[in-house]
Amino acid sequence: MQQAPPDRNTSEEERFQDDYYSYLESSENTPRYKPTVCFLNDAFPESFSLLDLGCGNAALCKYLPEHCDYLGIDHSELAIERCLKLFPQRKFVTADLSVKLPQMVEKNQKFDAIVLAGLLFHSTDKNTLEKKDDQEIIEFCLQNLLSERGYLIIIVPFAYGNHPFHTLFARAELLQKSVESMVEKARGNIVYENISLLTGLDQRIRQQKSIPDWFVADSNADYTNLYAGTYMATWTFISSLHPGISPYL
C-alpha cells in the first residue's frame, strides 16, 4: 500500500516530539559517522575539542571517544532536552547559530573539530524560517572558530533510487561540486573525502511513525527529483585551513 507523504510543514519541535529523527540513532546509520570518528581518532589520539553544530539528537556522541571535549548546539529545545537525557556526560546548548557563534568569537573560543552533520542545505532561522547562507556558515567556522590544528567536517546526506536513470552518481556529483566550491571560496582545503552507503535504512524508516521528507516508499516512483530516493548515503568532507594536514598523508 502506498504510504502518504509526510507533512513537510511540521515544525522541527514537533518532529523531535515524534520519532521523525530516530533513524539517526539506528545501527544502519553508523556509516554516517564512522569516517569522521576514525579520522579524528587518528588525528587526535589525545584530548581534543569538538563543536557539533545543529547537533539534533546528538547521534554522533555514540561514537566519539571519552577524550573528546564535546559541545553540541541546536536551536530546538526538545532536541537538547533529549540530548541531555541520552548523554548526560556531554555539554549541550540551546541557541540559534547566528546568535551563538559570534558570542563564541567574542570569547575567543576555538575548537579542534567542527562538525556540520546534515546542516548544510537545511539550516533555517527558527523564528522566521528563512534559509541561512551555507557559504557564510562554512567561512565563519573556518576563519573564526577552528584552532590552528583544526578540521571542519561536513557530512552531507543524500538519497538515490533504484531507477535506471536515477543513480547515486548524479546526486553525488551535484553535492561534491557544491561543497567543494563553498570550501574553496572560504579558502579551505579538503584533506579527506568519503562516501558511505547506509544499508537497510529503508526498512528502518518504514517502521517509524513519521517518515522523513526525503524518503520515497515506492521503488517504482518517478525519480525525476534529484532530492528524493529510496536509499540513503552520506558524503563526508573534511577541510583544513592548511593544505596537506591530514593523519592519512
Side-chain angles (χ1 to χ4, degrees), residues 46-211:
E46 298 180 351
S47 63
F48 68 98
S49 57
L50 185 149
L51 176 63
D52 189 0
L53 297 181
C55 64
N57 54 3
L60 173 63
C61 283
K62 291 173 58 177
Y63 310 100
L64 292 172
E66 291 185 3
H67 64 265
C68 172
D69 183 11
Y70 174 94
L71 173 61
I73 300 177
D74 201 284
H75 66 203
S76 168
E77 295 179 2
L78 286 176
I80 296 303
E81 287 178 11
R82 180 176 177 82
C83 291
L84 290 169
K85 291 178 182 179
L86 290 173
F87 306 101
Q89 76 280 16
R90 301 292 192 182
K91 292 178 288 186
F92 297 96
V93 174
T94 303
D96 190 281
L97 300 187
S98 59
V99 175
K100 185 63 177 178
L101 298 188
Q103 292 175 348
M104 290 177 147
V105 174
E106 289 180 5
K107 296 178 181 179
N108 198 31
Q109 289 183 269
K110 300 283 185 178
F111 298 87
D112 298 319
I114 300 175
V115 178
L116 312 177
L119 181 70
L120 291 193
F121 315 115
H122 296 90
S123 182
T124 60
D125 185 284
K126 180 179 179 180
N127 296 316
T128 66
L129 299 183
E130 181 181 356
K131 189 178 183 303
K132 295 185 178 179
D133 188 335
D134 293 327
Q135 181 69 52
E136 185 178 341
I137 293 173
I138 289 176
E139 289 184 7
F140 194 93
C141 290
L142 279 172
Q143 301 299 328
N144 298 289
L145 292 172
L146 272 188
S147 69
E148 291 185 357
R149 64 174 187 167
Y151 297 101
L152 175 64
I153 298 162
I154 300 170
I155 302 174
V156 186
F158 62 99
Y160 64 99
N162 58 1
H163 188 283
F165 300 106
H166 182 87
T167 69
L168 162 69
F169 305 106
R171 178 73 175 127
E173 182 181 22
L174 175 64
L175 287 174
Q176 183 189 40
K177 289 180 178 178
S178 298
V179 174
E180 289 189 343
S181 174
M182 286 189 285
V183 171
E184 183 179 354
K185 289 178 181 177
R187 301 186 298 281
N189 303 279
I190 292 179
V191 297
Y192 177 82
E193 295 181 51
N194 178 277
I195 290 181
S196 299
L197 305 185
L198 282 62
T199 58
L201 191 61
D202 55 326
Q203 287 86 359
R204 180 59 64 102
I205 294 299
R206 289 191 178 95
Q207 296 171 5
Q208 294 191 167
K209 291 181 291 183
S210 179
I211 305 172

